[in-house]
Amino acid sequence: MNFQTPYYLIDETKLLRNMEKIKLVRDISGAKSLLALKCFATWSVFDLMSEYMDGTTSSSLFEAKLGAEKFGKEVHAYSVAFSASDVEEMNAFSDKFIFNSISQLNAFYGIVKDKKIGLRVNPGFSYSHFDLADPARKCSKLGASDIKEVMKISGMISGAMFHYNCENDDFKTFSNMLDRLGRDYAPLLKKLEWVSLGGGLYFTKENYPIQDFARKLKEFSDKHKVQVYLEPGETAITNSAELVVTVLDLIKHDADIAVVDASVEAHMLDLLIYRTQAKMELSGKGKFPYVVSGKSCLAGDIFGTFKFDKKLKVGDTLKFSDAAGYTMVKKNWFNGLQMPSIVVKRLNGKTELVRSFTYNDFKNNLS
Ligand SMILES: *Cc1c(COP(=O)(O)O)cnc(C)c1O
């Protein structure tokens, strides 16, 4: 069971905890959950996930295709902008089309009119700590924002998608915003059969009032007579994987620095984008602080500063936790670094290498 580092280690037992919470929400509220593939598309564990979730939602033709091929169940096709050929191809395997704008709805209505059709609506409010991920930011391209215009085309759609949360772990604000959505959009909701509340709701977090959350969804669904959908990405897979690395070198320069055989830029890019630290379970209170750095050429390629119980040695293994979401889907070949393999610890305790990458993968990624 010794795999060569670096590798992502997905633990199905940890994943199952999230899946059971998703199922609980469905059982209480009737809300269906679709996995947002942009966050996590490691299909080796889809057999497990698809027992607990109702399908997938996508950002593109390729994601929708992967959802249909590897996850099954409902396939929601969404994209910020479809091309005509995207729509033609996706029509063969998608159950629903959600258009991001009224112009796209009008452009492709003729092709998809036999499918369930929805429109993304931008409610003008949001919950997000990051401007980059805030759908209600200035000049946002995300969703139709003029309710008068939306009402004019409401006969063409059976549903709407409101995705306006990012890492929202605060039930109170969720609840208040859902009430506001219900008030602001009551006339539209009256005409709809289904509403997707998007992703960004951190309801699998420990101590989150998940029962209240589910009851709130049920209240919304009953009041407006709509089937509610959720599109969990991060919350579906949170805390279910680690990035396992090896210390390659120890350097002293203002601090003790440990260089490891992976890279933030290439393997956990969101830490750089959102300027956050990696997490490590077995560190924090020790006496030996180290700046743990990635091995790319970027000086700022740093996983974080961690305090260890003892001095690190070359060859030590370190594990960054919470490494499932927005990692494997974003990994890249920057610096030609060894791409971490993907290892899955199955429910029965067996650990298997499901994918490894070679020089040829690097070479064939370009020409
Ligand atoms: C990003 C996104 C999701 C998933 O978001 P998470 O924060 O990972 O839960 C769901 N739906 C849409 C439309 C998105 O853009």
Side-chain angles (χ1 to χ4, degrees):
M1 221 191 66
N2 269 336
F3 300 99
Q4 184 139 25
T5 63
Y7 58 92
Y8 298 98
L9 173 64
I10 304 171
D11 186 337
E12 285 193 335
T13 306
K14 293 180 181 171
L15 189 57
L16 186 63
R17 292 191 306 224
N18 297 332
M19 294 299 107
E20 282 169 345
K21 288 182 181 176
I22 286 175
K23 182 171 180 296
L24 178 72
V25 168
R26 190 193 205 284
D27 288 348
I28 297 173
S29 70
K32 295 184 180 179
S33 276
L34 306 175
L35 177 65
L37 291 174
K38 74 165 190 223
C39 170
F40 183 82
T42 310
W43 43 267
S44 295
V45 295
F46 281 2
D47 282 351
L48 171 65
M49 300 181 85
S50 65
E51 284 180 40
Y52 295 84
M53 302 183 75
D54 290 284
T56 54
T57 187
S58 57
S59 323
S60 61
L61 166 64
F62 288 174
E63 281 189 356
K65 208 167 170 170
L66 186 77
E69 191 183 317
K70 294 288 187 186
F71 201 104
K73 301 178 116 173
E74 287 189 46
V75 177
H76 284 203
Y78 166 72
S79 174
V80 167
F82 293 107
S83 69
S85 62
D86 288 343
V87 176
E88 297 276 2
E89 191 172 345
M90 288 159 108
N91 202 20
F93 53 77
S94 303
D95 301 289
K96 276 197 176 73
F97 277 87
I98 302 173
F99 293 101
N100 183 59
S101 67
I102 294 174
S103 44
Q104 286 244 310
L105 170 69
N106 283 323
F108 301 121
Y109 184 74
I111 307 176
V112 300
K113 61 179 182 305
D114 298 333
K115 296 282 162 69
K116 294 204 171 185
I117 301 176
L119 179 69
R120 179 167 183 175
V121 178
N122 186 330
F125 54 82
S126 61
Y127 181 102
S128 177
H129 299 293
F130 305 102
D131 193 48
L132 177 65
D134 181 359
R137 67 181 261 165
K138 225 167 163 241
C139 306
S140 173
K141 68 197 168 203
L142 300 173
S145 51
D146 184 340
I147 183 65
K148 282 201 210 81
E149 294 301 312
V150 174
M151 287 310 287
K152 281 189 210 156
I153 57 80
S154 59
M156 295 163 82
I157 59 177
S158 61
M161 189 253 276
F162 298 89
H163 171 70
Y164 57 102
N165 286 284
C166 178
E167 297 197 358
N168 186 349
D169 58 1
D170 178 3
F171 173 69
K172 198 89 201 116
T173 60
F174 162 75
S175 176
N176 290 339
M177 285 199 297
L178 190 62
D179 289 340
R180 181 168 170 196
L181 197 75
R183 283 195 303 274
D184 291 2
Y185 292 92
L188 175 66
L189 295 172
K190 207 174 229 165
K191 299 183 159 213
L192 301 180
E193 290 163 23
W194 58 271
V195 168
S196 171
L197 296 174
L201 297 168
Y202 202 177
F203 61 90
T204 59
K205 193 177 179 176
E206 234 171 292
N207 300 323
Y208 187 89
I210 191 165
Q211 308 258 353
D212 295 345
F213 173 72
R215 282 193 289 269
K216 188 76 199 173
L217 294 176
K218 178 160 173 38
E219 176 195 303
F220 181 86
S221 165
D222 289 347
K223 182 166 180 193
H224 301 288
K225 300 192 181 61
V226 288
Q227 169 67 52
V228 170
Y229 285 92
L230 301 172
E231 301 175 354
E234 186 63 46
T235 206
I237 48 71
T238 192
N239 282 315
S240 65
E242 294 170 320
L243 175 62
V244 184
V245 303
T246 300
V247 175
L248 293 180
D249 197 11
L250 294 160
I251 294 168
K252 248 189 195 313
H253 187 206
D254 305 328
D256 282 308
I257 301 161
V259 182
V260 300
D261 60 356
S263 153
V264 180
E265 166 81 22
H267 312 136
M268 288 188 89
L269 185 57
D270 270 14
L271 299 178
L272 273 188
I273 294 176
Y274 295 105
R275 298 183 180 280
T276 48
Q277 278 226 28
K279 298 175 208 161
M280 207 185 279
E281 259 160 45
L282 294 172
S283 94
K285 293 182 185 64
K287 274 195 297 208
F288 302 99
Y290 285 83
V291 174
V292 178
S293 282
K295 65 172 269 177
S296 82
C297 63
L298 294 167
D301 183 346
I302 294 171
F303 285 93
T305 301
F306 303 94
K307 289 178 178 162
F308 297 92
D309 289 339
K310 47 181 196 274
K311 287 201 164 178
L312 292 182
K313 301 184 304 301
V314 168
D316 280 352
T317 301
L318 303 180
K319 295 173 177 176
F320 300 108
S321 52
D322 206 8
Y326 299 100
T327 53
M328 286 168 263
V329 289
K330 288 193 170 194
K331 61 190 166 48
N332 62 66
W333 286 108
F334 187 55
N335 275 215
L337 300 184
Q338 175 62 52
M339 185 77 81
S341 317
I342 300 176
V343 175
V344 177
K345 186 166 183 221
R346 298 292 180 192
L347 286 180
N348 66 12
K350 289 218 177 80
T351 307
E352 56 179 287
L353 177 68
V354 296
R355 182 86 162 92
S356 57
F357 302 90
T358 63
Y359 165 68
N360 276 337
D361 293 312
F362 167 60
K363 187 175 72 177
N364 293 333
N365 194 44
L366 290 167
S367 68

